[in-house]
Amino acid sequence: MEAYAAEQAVAGARLVAELEHEDAERADREETEATERAQAEAERERLAAQEDARLRAEFARQHPELAGYGNPAPF
């Protein structure tokens, strides 16, 4: 009876360790994915700002008479 209880305790501890390991791996994956999403969003914002600046510069070249009426805010 004691051997069975000890065996069950070991099996339970092994299961808990495996579940904790899986939780840690999942947390690491989620953190990596969140970092990748943040980097992708930052890149999208950088490209949008770059395109905004390009369009503003092009518009200013095409219509220099309107330069005094410009709005520095993004479209």
Side-chain angles (χ1 to χ4, degrees):
M1 189 70 125
E2 288 178 27
Y4 178 75
E7 187 179 301
Q8 290 300 310
V10 169
R14 187 177 303 126
L15 179 60
V16 168
E18 288 174 7
L19 292 173
E20 288 174 345
H21 181 72
E22 288 174 8
D23 284 345
E25 286 180 341
R26 186 178 307 110
D28 288 345
R29 267 193 318 273
E30 289 172 355
E31 183 177 341
T32 299
E33 290 169 358
T35 299
E36 290 171 353
R37 281 192 304 273
Q39 290 172 343
E41 179 62 24
E43 179 65 6
R44 280 190 293 275
E45 289 175 4
R46 184 189 70 77
L47 291 173
Q50 186 179 26
E51 179 66 4
D52 181 69
R54 186 191 70 75
L55 290 172
R56 287 179 183 281
E58 182 180 328
F59 186 81
R61 276 192 307 278
Q62 291 174 357
H63 305 283
E65 70 281 5
L66 299 176
Y69 300 101
N71 181 357
F75 291 112

